[in-house]
Amino acid sequence: GTIHLFRKPQRSFFGKLLREFRLVAADRRSWKILLFGVINLICTGFLLMWCSSTNSIALTAYTYLTIFDLFSLMTCLISYWVTMRKPSPVYSFGFERLEVLAVFASTVLAQLGALFILKESAERFLEQPEIHTGRLLVGTFVALSFNLFTMLSIRNKPFFYVSSANGYSFCLFFLSLCGIIPGLSSIFLPRMNPFVLIDLAGAFALCITYMLIEINNYFAVDTASAIAIALMTFGTMYPMSVYSGKVLLQTTPPHVIGQLDKLIREVSTLDGVLEVRNEHFWTLGFGSLAGSVHVRIRRDANEQMVLAHVTNRLYTLVSTLTVQIFKDDWIRPALLSGPVAANVLNFSDHHVIPMPLLKGADDLNPVTSTPAKPSSPPPEFSFNTPGKNVNPVILLNTQTRPYGFGLNHGHTPYSNILNQGLGVPGIGATQGLRTGFTNIPSRYGTNNRIGQPRP
Amino acid sequence: MVLFQKPFSSGKTITKHQWIKIFKHAVAGCIISLLWFFGLTLCGPLRTLLLFEHSDIVVISLLSVLFTSSGGGPAKTRGAAFFIIAVICLLLFDNDDLMAKMAEHPEGHHDSALTHMLYTAIAFLGVADHKSKVESWFSLIMPFATVIFFVMILDFYVDSICSVKMEVSKCARYGSFPIFISALLFGNFWTHPITDQLRAMNKAAHQESTEHVLSGGVVVSAIFFILSANILSSPSKRGQKGTLIGYSPEGTPLYNFMGDAFQHSSQSIPRFIKESLKQILEESDSRQIFYFLCLNLLFTFVELFYGVLTNSLGLISDGFHMLFDCSALVMGLFAALMSRWKATRIFSYGYGRIEILSGFINGLFLIVIAFFVFMESVARLIDPPELDTHMLTPVSVGGLIVNLIGICAFSHAHSHAHGASQGSCHSSDHSHSHHMHGHSDHGHGHSHGSAGGGMNANMRGVFLHVLADTLGSIGVIVSTILIEQFGWFIADPLCSLFIAILIFLSVVPLIKDACQVLLLRLPPEYEKELHIALEKIQKIEGLISYRDPHFWRHSASIVAGTIHIQVTSDVLEQRIVQQVTGILKDAGVNNLTIQVEKEAYFQHMSGLSTGFHDVLAMTKQMESMKYCKDGTYIM
């Protein structure tokens, strides 16, 4: 009985795994990765055997790099899988983050392996065992050629992204610092793959080890080069794990903070907006930003209008956005229930509500922000286009249909324009247009100060 | 040199007032030079250089730190402390006089342990101490003259270039590096045997001055001098680390100073330690970890010390292993500390999620350990080595006691903090007893543990780590008994194999939970309530539909959620927000953002996305609308 209970979830888990695996394996590209993975496993097995036969810890450290290659292959597979999977109700943001998690896990594992190597070599400094050089060089070259082959033939998107986002590679810095080859930094500076670099450096260290042991029987150099490889591993992996870890921690990426600040300032200068607060922006996977923000508006401002404008501004940067419009004291005028007060409160609503009823009168209505141009293509989805009188029925049916999707689609050209060409002039234009704001600089200043001490 | 530069003929004429100043300066310079020569005769060029070659800025800031209470922040204090340490090093640990004594009887008796240490240090540095011999004047003067010539000219020109090209503080900052380093190099070169040979070429007489050789104390003090000069001469104003955010209408750049840049600019180390200690002791989680860490470190150092004393390799390697384990504890401690930091711009939800990440890393750590133990035991299973067991038992019993204390403390904290995580402790006890009796259906106990699922992944990770250590000690004891009683050497790898599997299985639930949180899964413990809440939301009056419901656990205390809601045009948005917030708060979501959309929103959006020119038109219209809201314009 117990065995059955214990086994049942396991089998379903494996079944699920098999199904997902089949999904991935349907892709041609993943075949190559799988092939490399199998070769990697064989290779690693041989290398581990040779490690124990040579008793060399430097080779062990190098073998861990091969194991790391296996992880990076797995990450690559996962990133293929992620592109195929749709968000499920449980994982509502989709599986993009799995990629980040895989990168994080593999870099952390590599660092833990390096830590283990450091510990082992600290023990070996006390008592240096004898190293047999028989398979040392063979192992080195097998591992090196395999690593290089893997790294150069498979385009590993997530790792490429992380390593290029980091901007600097420790290895490069290390080498140029040592000045081993003075011209090296100028040759390789255009973003050399740090993994290739670390593989080459490790192989170099192993070759030196081999030579010194062969010539002088100087066994301590094995430990020293193991420490060197471990430190290089740390230096290469640490920035990457910090980067992906920050994504996992739901932090605002530092390189978009400037842009975000600009957008938020723009939002806070919108008409009717009093305050922007509780802003949370974070990266979903590598690249796409998600966020939520609370906007406090004046009591008499039109909520839907402000919402549309805020969303429109922020959509250029934040793809998954939620904006909560917030009014102070919204209940007070309603409690007065005077006809005038109610009128003031619903002023905008009164103008919006009849709008669908006015056939094609959108451009006549100045309250709408958007005069529907006859030349512009009709929006893919909006409330009044499909059939003005059967609105509610359609809406009830479309509950599962993502409104945002169509909106996004129709939205992209505009955002592109704003992103590329109009970054600076756009601000100037809007500022110039708003002649009502005569005191722009001071407004800027106050906003700045308000925006600064964000808890 | 004087002819070359023509100092008297060129330049401006000097007034009488300036002559007086120059005279005063000359007197002061004379005194300093006299001190120089005094120092040169007493203790040689190197030490004199170290003591005297400080630029005015360094000296002034040092004096201001020492004699006025408001020196300039903790950084300056640190610099002054370095300076004083350097002087003390030079005075106490340098063996200038002692060297002469030792030169007379190289293998003679040593006065104190200090002298002995210095002697070994000198031997380590490879400085030969030969006896000095009487020599002629000429052989001394030749190298001296060349050295003085080079040093003086080099110094003059480098100094003038520096003072022209750079500002004063920078000059003081970077000037100290080459001066001290070159002084050290020269000092080394002067006493090095090669110089001897050079001089021997000059004249056959073999001579060596052992008076002012390089020693470890001098090197250390030089390093401290460089550090202190660097710190003291660094500009006292805060680093201008801001990000450019744009340009003001006048065209001047606007900078945004981050809060982080201010916080980390300079903080006194002792104060930092004191504050973090206070923070650690404030909360029970971090306090537990801290005490246990102290206990563990104490045990480790006792082990290491005893190992060094008895020259036992096994003890030392076990000590290293303990240190390796302590790193996990340190990480857990840091995570527990950081998780209470205030939210910043970058960490907008607060630092609570760090605990989950730390739990995840700890889980990976354990998996790595399990993997290594597994590999090792497989290797030993194939080829079981002979091992002597007489040293193992006391060490492993000690480790077991320490770890048992840890388990008690952590499980205590566990059950106090969250009643829900009781199960995981039970499961650990389960697996214990199973292990002791050799049963293998431990999976049962673990499924309990995962069901219990405590919130605090960090503490769970630390707890599992301690548990794994305990298992290790038990395994060692069991295998030792088996080996001693029956001579089964295969018991050791079998035990470790078993332990590796146990560790792995106990970590899996932790990793799974942490992964789910990190992947922003709908929190499983709220799944049902949220489902009900969404159904309730559906029934709100005036609500048409909702989309994009995202709910996720951010950290142990924060469950965040965002949702978009479509309503009919005639309801008040704020009332809907209030209702939905109430429902979702009841369901456990405490960081909520609700976007209420009406038909008008979609009209606006579809209009907004038509193009830039429309945006301009729209902006104009917004103004006109603002105008109309003022009441002057009525449709």
Side-chain angles (χ1 to χ4, degrees), chain A residues 64 90 92 97 126 248 250 252 261 303-304 309 321 323-324 352 355 368-370 383 433-434 455, chain B residues 316 343 345-346 353 372 518 522 550 552 554 564 573 594-595 598 601-604 607 618 621 623:
Chain A
Y64 290 162
V90 178
S92 59
R97 294 201 127 216
L126 299 173
L248 289 178
Q250 287 192 311
T252 316
D261 271 349
E303 286 191 23
Q304 296 305 313
H309 280 267
L321 181 70
V323 180
Q324 178 166 348
V352 175
M355 246 181 17
T368 339
S369 60
T370 56
F383 275 78
L433 273 170
R434 267 191 219 125
Chain B
I316 293 173
R345 249 338 274 292
I346 291 181
R353 211 174 165 81
F372 284 132
L518 290 175
L522 188 76
H550 297 301
W552 71 96
H554 177 264
H564 293 214
E573 288 99 332
I594 302 158
Q595 179 165 336
K598 288 183 182 173
Y601 167 72
F602 293 101
Q603 285 169 6
H604 292 315
M618 175 267 304
Q621 276 189 352
E623 269 184 35

Side-chain angles (χ1 to χ4, degrees), chain A residues 64-310:
Chain A
Y64 290 162
L65 284 180
T66 319
I67 296 177
F68 172 76
D69 270 357
L70 186 68
F71 287 133
S72 75
L73 288 176
M74 265 148 78
T75 310
C76 213
L77 267 189
I78 284 174
S79 78
Y80 284 145
W81 179 71
V82 159
T83 53
M84 284 180 232
R85 273 300 289 261
K86 298 275 178 296
S88 71
V90 178
Y91 291 93
S92 59
F93 283 105
F95 292 87
E96 253 179 292
R97 294 201 127 216
L98 195 59
E99 207 178 48
V100 187
L101 192 70
V103 169
F104 181 75
S106 45
T107 48
V108 165
L109 281 176
Q111 284 178 69
L112 289 174
L115 192 67
F116 187 78
I117 291 289
L118 283 182
K119 174 211 144 200
E120 282 282 302
S121 37
E123 281 172 24
R124 286 204 177 196
F125 260 125
L126 299 173
E127 189 191 35
Q128 181 62 46
E130 200 174 324
I131 312 292
H132 313 285
T133 51
R135 293 293 166 87
L136 192 62
L137 215 55
V138 183
T140 306
F141 281 108
V142 166
L144 173 69
S145 52
F146 179 72
N147 279 348
L148 286 183
F149 197 47
T150 312
M151 284 296 165
L152 296 178
S153 63
I154 285 183
R155 200 183 127 69
N156 202 335
K157 193 181 61 128
F159 274 100
F160 180 76
Y161 183 87
V162 176
S163 60
S164 63
N166 268 307
Y168 92 103
S169 152
F170 170 77
C171 278
L172 205 68
F173 170 74
F174 183 73
L175 282 181
S176 58
L177 190 80
C178 291
I180 299 170
I181 311 162
L184 188 92
S185 56
S186 62
I187 297 167
F188 288 133
L189 208 59
R191 257 336 106 59
M192 189 181 172
N193 190 344
F195 302 110
V196 173
L197 205 60
I198 195 179
D199 286 337
L200 286 176
F204 182 66
L206 273 171
C207 287
I208 288 178
T209 309
Y210 177 76
M211 279 196 318
L212 281 178
I213 290 177
E214 279 290 290
I215 296 167
N216 289 357
N217 265 3
Y218 191 47
F219 292 127
V221 91
D222 180 62
T223 316
S225 64
I227 288 176
I229 292 175
L231 288 180
M232 278 193 290
T233 313
F234 261 117
T236 312
M237 301 301 168
Y238 179 72
M240 291 185 199
S241 58
V242 165
Y243 184 86
S244 49
K246 276 193 173 166
V247 172
L248 289 178
L249 285 177
Q250 287 192 311
T251 58
T252 316
H255 60 273
V256 297
I257 272 195
Q259 279 172 291
L260 268 179
D261 271 349
K262 216 164 76 182
L263 286 178
I264 284 171
R265 253 196 318 282
E266 270 180 52
V267 163
S268 60
T269 51
L270 280 177
D271 185 40
V273 173
L274 294 175
E275 188 190 4
V276 179
R277 60 185 183 191
N278 291 343
E279 62 272 53
H280 301 295
F281 295 105
W282 38 278
T283 35
L284 203 54
F286 287 127
S288 59
L289 218 62
S292 66
V293 69
H294 289 202
V295 177
R296 194 162 71 90
I297 61 171
R298 265 205 323 265
R299 260 213 328 267
D300 55 347
N302 183 347
E303 286 191 23
Q304 296 305 313
M305 171 97 76
V306 172
L307 178 64
H309 280 267
V310 170

Side-chain angles (χ1 to χ4, degrees), chain B residues 576-590:
Chain B
I576 295 285
V577 166
Q578 207 180 32
Q579 284 170 329
V580 174
T581 309
I583 291 169
L584 286 177
K585 279 253 158 75
D586 286 342
V589 183
N590 50 19

Side-chain angles (χ1 to χ4, degrees), chain B residues 164-468:
Chain B
V164 167
K165 297 266 169 168
M166 294 190 291
E167 49 189 314
V168 189
S169 62
K170 253 188 191 166
C171 182
R173 196 167 180 181
Y174 300 117
S176 59
F177 280 100
I179 286 173
F180 292 141
I181 289 169
S182 60
L184 278 179
L185 286 178
F186 270 121
N188 198 12
F189 184 65
W190 194 249
T191 51
H192 204 267
I194 294 171
T195 331
D196 248 15
Q197 289 169 9
L198 281 178
R199 259 177 281 175
M201 281 202 302
N202 202 7
K203 202 177 178 183
H206 177 251
Q207 52 95 26
E208 160 84 5
S209 75
T210 52
E211 259 183 275
H212 311 303
V213 293
L214 205 61
S215 74
V218 177
V219 174
V220 169
S221 70
I223 289 167
F224 272 112
F225 269 127
I226 289 173
L227 278 178
S228 69
N230 202 356
I231 292 168
L232 283 173
S233 62
S234 68
S236 56
K237 60 189 170 204
R238 296 284 161 84
Q240 289 176 334
K241 217 177 144 190
T243 50
L244 185 69
I245 49 168
Y247 291 92
S248 69
E250 289 85 37
T252 52
L254 292 173
Y255 288 99
N256 188 16
F257 290 93
M258 294 294 172
D260 303 337
F262 284 130
Q263 276 176 8
H264 299 297
S265 58
S266 86
Q267 208 171 18
S268 170
I269 291 174
R271 197 189 303 155
F272 177 72
I273 291 172
K274 212 169 82 182
E275 275 175 10
S276 45
L277 257 184
K278 212 172 90 185
Q279 277 183 353
I280 286 168
L281 295 182
E282 255 170 23
E283 202 158 310
S284 68
D285 278 5
S286 50
R287 199 171 51 221
Q288 302 275 355
I289 299 178
F290 181 69
Y291 286 148
F292 185 64
L293 181 68
C294 285
L295 189 69
N296 226 332
L297 279 179
L298 195 74
F299 183 72
T300 307
F301 280 114
V302 165
E303 209 174 50
L304 276 179
F305 186 73
Y306 195 70
V308 170
L309 216 65
T310 57
N311 212 0
S312 137
L313 260 177
L315 268 181
I316 293 173
S317 76
D318 196 61
F320 276 121
H321 180 79
M322 292 284 277
L323 273 183
F324 185 61
D325 282 346
C326 280
S327 59
L329 283 180
V330 169
M331 195 182 62
L333 185 65
F334 265 107
L337 197 63
M338 278 173 84
S339 66
R340 291 202 300 277
W341 286 1
K342 292 272 186 300
T344 61
R345 249 338 274 292
I346 291 181
F347 288 77
S348 60
Y349 286 102
Y351 285 78
R353 211 174 165 81
I354 280 184
E355 283 197 328
I356 288 154
L357 202 66
S358 141
F360 183 68
I361 297 174
N362 250 331
L364 289 183
F365 203 131
L366 281 171
I367 283 190
V368 167
I369 287 176
F371 171 75
F372 284 132
V373 171
F374 188 82
M375 294 302 291
E376 189 71 27
S377 58
V378 165
R380 287 197 182 181
L381 210 58
I382 297 164
D383 175 28
E386 300 273 321
L387 34 85
D388 63 330
T389 51
H390 72 277
M391 202 58 209
L392 283 174
T393 319
V395 174
S396 55
V397 166
L400 179 66
I401 290 167
V402 167
N403 284 318
L404 276 180
I405 292 171
I407 282 190
C408 287
F410 284 126
S411 61
H412 193 64
H414 244 198
S415 53
H416 263 277
H418 328 277
S421 60
Q422 191 83 302
S424 98
C425 297
H426 268 300
S427 84
S428 63
D429 289 338
H430 245 128
S431 52
H432 252 231
S433 53
H434 283 242
H435 170 68
M436 292 299 271
H437 295 287
H439 279 277
S440 59
D441 57 343
H442 46 263
H444 198 65
H446 282 291
S447 62
H448 273 297
S450 67
M455 297 302 108
N456 197 336
N458 185 30
M459 289 304 278
R460 259 175 83 189
V462 170
F463 178 76
L464 282 179
H465 215 98
V466 178
L467 186 68

Side-chain angles (χ1 to χ4, degrees), chain A residues 306-318:
Chain A
V306 172
L307 178 64
H309 280 267
V310 170
T311 314
N312 185 39
R313 293 286 153 92
L314 290 176
Y315 251 141
T316 57
L317 204 62
V318 186

Side-chain angles (χ1 to χ4, degrees), chain B residues 1 3 14 24 30 47 138 141-142 288 348 427 460 473 554 590:
Chain B
M1 202 45 53
L3 291 174
I14 299 161
K24 281 181 188 167
C30 277
R47 282 132 186 113
F138 184 71
I141 284 169
M142 259 303 284
Q288 302 275 355
S348 60
S427 84
R460 259 175 83 189
S473 323
H554 177 264
N590 50 19

